[in-house]
Amino acid sequence: MSRRRHSDENDGGQPHKRRRTSEPIEIEDRLESLICRVGEKSTSSLESNLEGLAGVLEADLPNYKNKILRILCTVARLLPEKLTVYSTLVGLLNARNYNFGGEFVESMIRQLKETLKLNLYNEALYLVRFLSDLVNCHVIAAPSMVAMFENFVSVVQEEDGPQVRCDWYVYAVLSSLPWVGKELYEKKDVEMERILNQIESYLKRRQKIHVPMLQVWTAEKPHPQEEYLDCLFAQVQKMKKDRWQERHILRPYIAFDSVLCEALQHNLPPFTPPPHSEDAVYPMPKVIFRMFDYTDAPEGPVMPGSHSVERFVIEENLHYIIKSHWRERKTCAAQLLSYPGKNKIPLNYHIVEVIFGELFQLPQPPHIDVMYTTLLIELCKLQPGSLPQVLAQATEMMYTRLDTMNTTCIDRFLNWFSHHLSNFQFRWSWDDWSDCLTQDLDKPKPKFVREVLEKSMRLSYHQRIVDIVPANFSALIPTNPIFIYKYMDESSSSLPGYPVTIAISNAIINRSSNDEILTILKDVPNPNQEDDDDEGDSFNPLKIDVFLQTLLHMAAKSFSHSFSALAKFHEVLKILTDSDEGKLHILKVVYEAWRNHPQMISVLIDKMIRTQIVDCAAVANWIFSPDMAHDFTRFYVWEILHSTVRKMNKHVQKIQKELETAKEKLEKQHSRRKDSGDEEEDKNSDEEDGPLEEQIERLQEKVESAQSEQKNLFLVIFQRFIMMLTEHLVRCETGGVDFNTPWYKNCIERLQQIFLMHHQTIQQYMVTLENLLFTAELDHHILTVYRQFCALQM
């Protein structure tokens, strides 16, 4: 880069100044682009691209060393799918500049410590794997890597640490061995044997009560749903037995062996795992999702066995690609289909299995559910001749295994399937599923088909669903979503309150005020009140019936009409639902009127919670009430409950954030005055702080009140679950019948679902739950669910 300055009397010097500041930025951007894009499709070979890039970076090291270090450390952490490409690049740079290699290793260790401190355990895992691959590139000496692994495994000897902490350190070691196991065993076989023996001993004694809660299927056939550490250890043991051979990791450094083996190596600085702290949030354990084996992909390359390390490597790489590109579905699909070595494996089967594995991951998928739907649609477009067939095969397999599928996963399956169908004109070979027509409607298969059609109707309309499904499926087709108005015509005139509905209807048409409506409602007799009872303000269900039935009937044309009606008569509804019974009854009326239209029930209840016509506890009590027994296992009911819990949680978080912001503001005021040392400002401090301190006090009260409401909501939900399940178990025991009915499976798995979906919030109230509800006297079937949940963060 030339340092000469050209003088030109016309430029006044200003443009030169601008160019001098922007040139380094341009070069830095170019370096970042070159590093990030290496390993992507190119006309040149990967090896020549790496050699060329190493030369460019070496030339820029004197001026841009810190920038290059920062970029390389970042890609090691955030682009794990190109791990071996970047480890080779670092190896080439180390061979040319030993000091740079040392600084890079130190930066990586600093970054590893930082990620562990910040609970970024996935990123820490990628850093450990990257460091281990640097052994293959002759950057790090094998003995120091073994020493680091020994320190990691020593965590299992800690007495007071949680199991999930030990799990992470063991996983970090095991998951690095497919890359570096051979090299370490050749150099330090005795030490590596000792590490594997320690891991084996730990795996034999660790608790696994959490596993049933995380399994997609309860049945072990045709594919066992193994705990992730057990599965990985079996894969590593098989790899060791095969003399550490594997055929799926791209290893560009082999081409540079003659250069790299001459390089001087660095020893890792001693690394001690940071001690356990109370605010550490370790990754939850997982169960490995298995849907296919070699018999399912009859043509072409053979699928690696579930205990072959190739299966682990392929799945890890596909997970990496999704993690890096999930926001751009087109890029993500293209990257998945251009997976290196795709000709050696049945790639479509692996991709479909990995995507469903993520979608069904418990407690939560890594990304939003709809991403997986759009990704699969994109893959079908790119591979129209092969991928739709694999997807149809997977759908068929999941349908046949619905009996043993986890209820939460069935929810996600039906959401995905209905959304997918809506993108392909709802075409499906429904006759292949006609076996569900001979089963009871509460069995998983007919229930699933009915819910899929219900969900599809939301994405279409009723007549369309009637037209696409064969006539013999009529029992499973959703009812026409029409409003049921019980005061419809003259035949309803004998119903109590009928004359008032006509008056209310006229008042609404004539745009009467809220006060005028309330005056009309005063004449409604109270069926709960004796003739000689003077208490006029007691709960009157007929008032709610008459007013809400009429209002919703007049606004039944659309969601918007219904929302406007609720907004316009908000004051009236608030007065009518002043008591807990009123809130429960208004929900009952909404259900009775719209029971043929579950989506309308969902959105109206959502609106009523937002506008505080009803509260969250009332919705929970209504769902578990005898009135809802008929629909208790329906999908929309649980959609409403989870939406209600999420609203409560968001409400608490919002107030907590407001409180934190106010406290930070006060803290800043104090520190500003402290720094300025201004006596005059000190005198005004009380005036300045007063309103803020009052605001903090008010917010503190609001937070306490909201948390109390939140705790009460969970107590209501769990108490109702316990009552219903206990009654069922006692009834079955008394009658001498099997308790394990479809209703019981659904109910117990819904209880698990509540624990899993809202685990972070529920953990705050564990002591209360244990003392009040999940006591030792509780039936062991129900208590087991609670213990499984506790084991997830043990």
Side-chain angles (χ1 to χ4, degrees):
M1 195 170 70
S2 171
R3 289 182 175 276
R4 270 190 313 161
R5 287 197 60 175
H6 303 280
S7 61
D8 188 319
E9 60 195 40
N10 294 325
D11 65 22
Q14 196 58 35
H16 282 308
K17 199 169 187 183
R18 194 179 299 122
R19 189 158 58 248
R20 286 178 65 203
T21 54
S22 67
E23 244 176 53
I25 294 167
E26 280 173 21
I27 292 171
E28 286 179 8
D29 289 346
R30 184 175 62 84
L31 289 173
E32 188 169 323
S33 172
L34 285 170
I35 292 170
C36 290
R37 287 168 58 194
V38 71
E40 291 177 10
K41 275 187 179 175
S42 163
T43 49
S44 317
S45 69
L46 175 60
E47 287 74 17
S48 66
N49 285 341
L50 280 168
E51 198 162 9
L53 181 56
V56 170
L57 295 179
E58 185 195 8
D60 282 324
L61 277 179
N63 298 322
Y64 300 101
K65 184 180 69 180
N66 289 340
K67 176 72 177 176
I68 291 168
L69 272 172
R70 197 161 61 246
I71 296 168
L72 287 172
C73 285
T74 305
V75 293
R77 192 179 86 244
L78 299 180
L79 296 177
E81 68 270 26
K82 294 205 276 188
L83 181 152
T84 55
V85 174
Y86 291 123
S87 63
T88 306
L89 180 60
V90 172
L92 291 171
L93 286 170
N94 179 63
R96 297 166 187 228
N97 188 325
Y98 176 74
N99 289 339
F100 175 80
E103 285 183 58
F104 177 77
V105 171
E106 283 172 17
S107 297
M108 288 287 282
I109 291 294
R110 269 199 307 276
Q111 196 171 217
L112 177 59
K113 287 177 179 172
E114 193 62 29
T115 49
L116 289 172
K117 191 173 156 188
L118 295 170
N119 289 324
L120 300 170
Y121 288 97
N122 273 342
E123 292 181 15
L125 193 67
Y126 304 148
L127 293 174
V128 172
R129 212 170 282 175
F130 195 96
L131 287 168
S132 70
D133 202 44
L134 289 179
V135 174
N136 295 320
C137 303
H138 297 270
V139 177
I140 291 173
S144 69
M145 195 72 225
V146 172
M148 185 190 215
F149 282 168
E150 283 175 333
N151 285 344
F152 274 28
V153 174
S154 69
V155 170
V156 304
Q157 310 297 338
E158 293 174 356
E159 289 179 10
D160 53 350
Q163 182 173 289
V164 279
R165 169 178 162 82
C166 303
D167 285 355
W168 186 85
Y169 283 99
V170 166
Y171 185 74
V173 173
L174 285 176
S175 64
S176 300
L177 294 182
W179 281 263
V180 76
K182 186 178 183 184
E183 192 73 15
L184 297 185
Y185 241 87
E186 283 174 3
K187 304 269 184 4
K188 287 281 183 182
D189 59 333
V190 176
E191 290 84 348
M192 285 302 296
E193 199 63 52
R194 187 165 60 240
I195 287 173
L196 286 178
N197 287 338
Q198 276 182 283
I199 289 173
E200 186 173 20
S201 162
Y202 166 70
L203 293 180
K204 280 178 180 170
R205 69 173 188 270
R206 73 191 271 267
Q207 293 281 338
K208 280 187 278 194
I209 21 177
H210 59 272
V211 174
M213 200 175 218
L214 301 177
Q215 284 178 319
V216 175
W217 286 293
T218 50
E220 287 296 300
K221 288 179 180 180
H223 310 296
Q225 306 297 301
E226 291 179 283
E227 218 273 345
Y228 78 125
L229 277 181
D230 290 344
C231 184
L232 180 55
F233 187 70
Q235 289 165 331
V236 168
Q237 288 288 64
K238 187 176 183 305
M239 189 188 184
K240 180 187 160 196
K241 192 178 165 189
D242 295 340
R243 302 180 178 220
W244 299 98
Q245 296 300 314
E246 68 72 41
R247 291 175 295 282
H248 279 277
I249 295 176
L250 178 73
R251 297 183 188 266
Y253 38 76
I254 292 171
F256 300 104
D257 195 47
S258 57
V259 177
L260 297 177
C261 69
E262 298 295 320
L264 293 170
Q265 293 173 304
H266 304 270
N267 284 319
L268 285 169
F271 184 88
T272 308
H276 172 60
S277 63
E278 286 306 310
D279 57 351
V281 183
Y282 301 100
M284 277 194 178
K286 298 194 294 271
V287 168
I288 300 299
F289 178 76
R290 287 277 178 264
M291 187 194 287
F292 299 126
D293 62 22
Y294 66 94
T295 61
D296 297 307
E299 295 169 14
V302 176
M303 185 175 241
S306 61
H307 283 166
S308 77
V309 85
E310 282 83 7
R311 188 76 168 255
F312 170 76
V313 170
I314 294 162
E315 286 167 359
E316 279 291 280
N317 287 331
L318 294 176
H319 284 304
Y320 292 159
I321 292 168
I322 294 171
K323 189 175 190 297
S324 295
H325 303 288
W326 70 274
R327 287 181 181 85
E328 292 290 337
R329 66 182 192 280
K330 289 178 186 288
T331 311
C332 191
Q335 290 285 337
L336 287 169
L337 292 172
S338 57
Y339 176 72
K342 60 184 177 184
N343 299 326
K344 295 188 282 183
I345 56 170
L347 182 61
N348 287 345
Y349 284 88
H350 283 290
I351 289 173
V352 168
E353 185 175 73
V354 162
I355 290 173
F356 279 120
E358 285 201 8
L359 177 61
F360 296 148
Q361 187 175 310
L362 296 167
Q364 298 284 8
H367 313 294
I368 55 170
D369 295 14
V370 76
M371 188 280 292
Y372 299 103
T373 313
T374 56
L375 179 57
L376 285 166
I377 291 167
E378 204 57 46
L379 286 162
C380 288
K381 286 179 187 173
L382 292 175
Q383 291 271 34
S386 56
L387 209 133
Q389 291 88 320
V390 177
L391 198 51
Q393 188 180 339
T395 307
E396 192 62 45
M397 291 170 86
M398 290 188 284
Y399 171 76
T400 57
R401 299 179 66 187
L402 279 170
D403 289 357
T404 59
M405 198 176 195
N406 184 299
T407 301
T408 305
C409 298
I410 293 177
D411 286 354
R412 295 180 198 169
F413 178 27
L414 76 88
N415 269 333
W416 164 75
F417 187 56
S418 52
H419 188 176
H420 185 82
L421 287 178
S422 72
N423 281 271
F424 295 94
Q425 287 103 42
F426 297 99
R427 286 198 302 265
W428 186 251
S429 47
W430 295 104
D431 287 326
D432 292 350
W433 287 2
S434 55
D435 61 325
C436 71
L437 302 173
T438 57
Q439 299 180 10
D440 292 342
L441 291 180
D442 62 342
K443 289 283 174 68
K445 285 181 181 177
K447 197 169 183 55
F448 173 77
V449 172
R450 182 185 174 188
E451 294 287 8
V452 164
L453 296 175
E454 178 84 63
K455 195 78 178 177
S456 298
M457 193 171 72
R458 293 192 189 186
L459 303 166
S460 181
Y461 52 94
H462 183 257
Q463 190 55 46
R464 179 79 197 280
I465 302 303
V466 173
D467 294 342
I468 58 163
V469 179
N472 57 337
F473 277 74
S474 58
L476 302 178
I477 293 173
T479 47
N480 198 5
I482 52 170
F483 188 87
I484 300 166
Y485 186 42
K486 67 179 182 184
Y487 303 105
M488 179 59 83
D489 48 36
E490 293 297 322
S491 62
S492 316
S493 56
S494 58
L495 289 174
Y498 177 77
V500 183
T501 61
I502 296 165
I504 291 286
S505 182
N506 291 331
I508 292 171
I509 291 166
N510 295 327
R511 301 173 185 266
S512 299
S513 67
N514 286 335
D515 288 338
E516 286 169 327
I517 299 272
L518 288 167
T519 307
I520 296 168
L521 288 171
K522 268 188 178 173
D523 299 334
V524 177
N526 190 342
N528 291 344
Q529 203 172 301
E530 298 298 324
D531 292 337
D532 57 349
D533 191 344
D534 294 332
E535 288 182 37
D537 290 334
S538 63
F539 161 62
N540 185 342
L542 193 55
K543 269 188 189 180
I544 296 172
D545 248 16
V546 164
F547 177 67
L548 193 59
Q549 273 263 347
T550 307
L551 180 67
L552 291 179
H553 172 60
M554 295 180 77
K557 193 173 182 181
S558 70
F559 293 135
S560 306
H561 285 78
S562 300
F563 291 166
S564 299
L566 292 180
K568 188 174 181 183
F569 297 101
H570 181 260
E571 188 190 330
V572 177
L573 291 166
K574 284 285 280 181
I575 291 167
L576 293 178
T577 58
D578 196 32
S579 63
D580 288 345
E581 298 110 305
K583 290 180 175 66
L584 210 55
H585 195 72
I586 200 170
L587 292 165
K588 185 181 172 183
V589 173
V590 169
Y591 171 70
E592 283 174 354
W594 276 120
R595 65 174 172 269
N596 290 334
H597 196 342
Q599 188 182 12
M600 183 63 92
I601 297 173
S602 299
V603 295
L604 287 178
I605 290 173
D606 183 275
K607 196 72 175 173
M608 286 176 169
I609 294 171
R610 287 174 193 273
T611 52
Q612 297 178 347
I613 294 169
V614 298
D615 57 36
C616 297
V619 175
N621 277 316
W622 166 71
I623 283 171
F624 287 94
S625 68
D627 296 324
M628 289 300 291
H630 182 260
D631 275 9
F632 185 71
T633 58
R634 292 280 300 278
F635 171 75
Y636 83 91
V637 170
W638 299 96
E639 204 175 35
I640 292 170
L641 186 62
H642 289 297
S643 169
T644 303
V645 175
R646 276 195 299 273
K647 268 187 198 60
M648 184 77 251
N649 296 348
K650 278 182 184 171
H651 173 60
V652 174
Q653 286 162 8
K654 182 171 171 270
I655 304 169
Q656 283 173 331
K657 198 171 181 183
E658 285 173 16
L659 178 62
E660 282 163 25
T661 307
K663 283 180 176 176
E664 281 168 19
K665 202 171 171 185
L666 186 65
E667 189 64 40
K668 276 179 190 169
Q669 282 184 15
H670 286 172
S671 59
R672 194 174 66 239
R673 281 199 297 273
K674 200 176 176 184
D675 293 343
S676 67
D678 191 330
E679 286 180 30
E680 199 60 44
E681 211 169 313
D682 266 355
K683 288 174 187 173
N684 299 329
S685 65
D686 288 344
E687 292 172 30
E688 218 179 297
D689 289 352
L692 206 50
E693 282 170 350
E694 281 173 27
Q695 186 192 353
I696 289 170
E697 209 170 303
R698 278 198 309 275
L699 284 169
Q700 196 82 53
E701 284 172 14
K702 277 176 83 176
V703 166
E704 284 168 17
S705 165
Q707 282 179 330
S708 168
E709 210 179 319
Q710 185 183 48
K711 187 201 285 189
N712 179 52
L713 175 62
F714 282 113
L715 286 172
V716 166
I717 292 169
F718 289 128
Q719 188 181 39
R720 295 287 183 270
F721 263 120
I722 289 169
M723 284 163 64
M724 288 182 85
L725 285 163
T726 306
E727 280 171 21
H728 172 79
L729 290 164
V730 169
R731 197 165 53 245
C732 291
E733 195 178 340
T734 312
V737 293
D738 184 13
F739 68 87
N740 199 7
T741 61
W743 181 92
Y744 172 78
K745 178 184 180 292
N746 190 290
C747 192
I748 202 88
E749 287 179 0
R750 290 294 181 192
L751 173 59
Q752 288 179 349
Q753 187 183 39
I754 295 287
F755 274 120
L756 286 174
M757 281 184 77
H758 311 287
H759 62 96
Q760 286 163 323
T761 311
I762 293 170
Q763 272 159 3
Q764 302 167 41
Y765 306 120
M766 295 287 273
V767 176
T768 310
L769 290 175
E770 207 155 314
N771 290 340
L772 294 181
L773 299 176
F774 294 96
T775 56
E777 296 79 48
L778 193 62
D779 186 285
H780 74 95
H781 294 97
I782 308 168
L783 199 54
T784 299
V785 174
Y786 179 72
R787 286 179 178 151
Q788 286 169 350
F789 170 70
C790 294
L792 286 175
Q793 284 291 352
M794 261 171 49

